[in-house]
């Protein structure tokens, strides 16, 4: 009995080390939003619902002023959180906010980069290293190489050209990379994603650590003809950074197919838990999509 009690204490201690309290309190999360070339009023609400409906997270919102308004008072307290979710693409933050975010990340904070957040802040080198890669906003070869897969290997391609594009929205198959990573372990190596933008021709100064899922960007859909990274982790010091390029927001929470995709929601949840704690405790759900069949969670749970 004493041995069993000792084991229980050790397990509880480990949960504390990896980001949970001994009472298994939810992971304290900050979603940064307020400006975007996408429908942020839908996306940040969907993300909050996905996270909180899982029971693993509590999520606060840091909403910036509108585009062109005074940003001087936008100063989220990043250090108060275990996880920061970036759903922001807009005006530059105040210098104090830049420094606070870098300090949070460089101190080992967990970060989720969601979809068009990888379009943000082209001229902020450290931020782009945290993203791994980005697109649009005038990006070109001066902003880093194209990053994609060829013959199973990462390619950092310094060819000139614009960064960031996508063809018509369509369903496509995600292909597994590192299937032993905590985020992907137990998930299918191939699964069909609901209709979404397939980002391609992305480039940046960052270093990819783990390719978790990629997809072929078919020329038939006006894509790049390359194997494009869509879910991956970034090598940036002690930080845990999870980047998902999936999840283009619809006009309403009800008309929001890409974010209602079960595969998007499950990988987001698993990536968020890993970024915050270094591990994933979630079981593989029975409703996860297959290679041929999409799956939707229209109520975000």
């Amino acid at each position: 009995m004493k041995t069993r009690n000792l084991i229980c204490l050790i397990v509880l201690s480990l949960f504390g080390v990896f980001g949970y309290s001994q009472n298994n309190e939810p992971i304290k999360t900050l979603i940064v939003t307020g400006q975007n070339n996408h429908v942020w009023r839908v996306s940040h609400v969907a993300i909050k619902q996905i996270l909180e409906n899982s029971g693993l997270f509590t999520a606060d919102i840091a909403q910036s002023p509108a585009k062109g308004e005074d940003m001087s008072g936008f100063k989220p307290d990043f250090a108060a959180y275990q996880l920061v979710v970036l759903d922001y693409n807009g005006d530059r933050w105040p210098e104090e906010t830049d420094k606070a975010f870098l300090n949070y990340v460089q101190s080992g904070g967990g970060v989720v980069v969601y979809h068009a957040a990888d379009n943000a802040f082209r001229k902020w080198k450290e931020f782009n290293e945290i993203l791994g890669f980005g697109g649009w906003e005038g990006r070109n070869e001066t902003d880093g190489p194209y990053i994609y897969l060829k013959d199973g290997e990462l390619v950092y391609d310094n060819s000139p050209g614009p960064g960031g594009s996508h063809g018509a929205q369509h369903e496509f198959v995600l292909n597994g990379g590192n299937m032993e990573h905590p985020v992907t372990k137990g998930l299918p190596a191939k699964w069909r994603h609901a209709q979404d933008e397939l980002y391609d021709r992305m480039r940046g100064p960052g270093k990819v650590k783990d390719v978790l899922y990629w997809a072929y960007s078919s020329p038939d859909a006006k894509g790049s003809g390359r194997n494009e990274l869509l879910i991956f982790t970034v090598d940036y010091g002690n930080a845990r950074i999870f980047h998902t390029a999936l999840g283009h927001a619809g006009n309403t929470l009800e008309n929001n197919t890409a974010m209602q995709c079960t595969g998007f929601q499950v990988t987001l949840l698993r990536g968020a838990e890993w970024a915050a704690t270094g591990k994933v405790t979630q079981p593989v759900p029975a409703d996860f999509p297959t290679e041929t069949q999409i799956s939707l969670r229209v109520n975000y749970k």
Side-chain angles (χ1 to χ4, degrees):
M1 182 63 69
K2 290 182 178 179
T3 301
R4 182 176 299 173
N5 290 341
L6 178 61
I7 291 172
C8 289
L9 287 172
I10 292 171
V11 170
L12 289 172
S13 298
L14 286 174
F15 271 105
V17 168
F18 285 109
Y20 293 102
S21 74
Q22 291 188 2
N23 296 319
N24 288 343
E25 294 177 356
I27 296 165
K28 196 174 179 184
T29 303
L30 182 69
I31 301 171
V32 183
T33 191
Q35 294 184 40
N36 211 304
N37 60 317
H38 290 62
V39 189
W40 64 268
R41 294 185 184 279
V42 170
S43 58
H44 85 275
V45 175
I47 291 169
K48 180 178 173 67
Q49 289 189 16
I50 293 165
L51 294 176
E52 293 190 334
N53 285 342
S54 73
L56 292 173
F57 304 84
T58 57
D60 295 332
I61 306 298
Q63 181 176 324
S64 75
K67 186 174 179 61
E69 293 185 356
D70 180 14
M71 293 284 287
S72 62
F74 184 62
K75 299 176 182 178
D77 184 9
F78 300 109
Y81 295 88
Q82 295 168 265
L83 179 69
V84 172
V85 179
L86 298 174
D87 178 28
Y88 183 90
N89 175 27
D91 294 342
R92 272 301 296 270
W93 299 336
E95 183 178 356
E96 181 179 340
T97 302
D98 287 0
K99 290 180 179 178
F101 179 69
L102 281 181
N103 185 64
Y104 167 81
V105 179
Q106 292 170 352
S107 298
V111 178
V112 169
V113 181
Y114 156 71
H115 198 54
D118 64 19
N119 298 185
F121 303 149
R122 175 192 172 193
K123 297 297 185 181
W124 184 4
K125 184 176 184 294
E126 293 90 348
F127 186 83
N128 282 271
E129 290 174 348
I130 291 166
L131 297 178
F133 64 35
W136 293 275
E137 304 299 321
R139 283 176 171 83
N140 58 37
E141 59 273 14
T142 66
D143 300 293
Y146 291 117
I147 307 176
Y148 54 91
L149 281 175
K150 185 175 182 179
D151 299 327
E153 299 293 331
L154 271 172
V155 175
Y156 291 85
D157 179 351
N158 291 300
S159 300
S165 63
H166 61 77
Q169 292 190 38
H170 62 291
E171 295 181 7
F172 50 86
V173 173
L174 276 293
N175 302 274
N178 179 1
M179 299 306 295
E180 292 301 313
H181 191 277
V183 172
T184 54
K185 193 172 181 64
L187 295 179
K190 291 180 180 289
W191 56 275
R192 192 167 190 84
H193 181 39
Q195 181 172 300
D196 200 352
E197 296 175 340
L198 199 169
Y199 277 12
D200 57 26
R201 299 182 179 93
M202 304 293 276
R203 61 189 319 154
K207 296 297 180 185
V208 173
K209 188 171 185 180
D210 299 287
V211 177
L212 302 181
Y213 282 105
W214 57 271
Y216 177 63
S217 180
S218 173
D220 293 340
K222 299 183 179 179
S224 64
R226 297 170 176 165
N227 296 327
E228 302 286 356
L229 280 57
L230 294 178
I231 305 178
F232 60 95
T233 70
V234 179
D235 188 357
Y236 188 84
N238 294 321
R240 286 186 295 269
I241 301 165
F242 173 80
H243 187 143
T244 178
L246 303 179
H248 179 76
N251 293 326
T252 66
L253 283 170
E254 295 73 28
N255 179 25
N256 194 24
T257 303
M259 298 189 79
Q260 290 171 329
C261 174
T262 301
F264 167 76
Q265 294 185 30
V266 169
T267 54
L268 175 67
L269 285 168
R270 293 172 71 92
E273 185 182 8
W274 171 81
T277 71
K279 64 179 186 177
V280 174
T281 62
Q282 304 163 53
V284 176
D287 63 337
F288 199 84
T290 67
E291 184 177 356
T292 59
Q293 185 66 47
I294 68 167
S295 171
L296 299 180
R297 293 179 172 179
V298 295
N299 295 319
Y300 305 101
K301 60 183 178 181

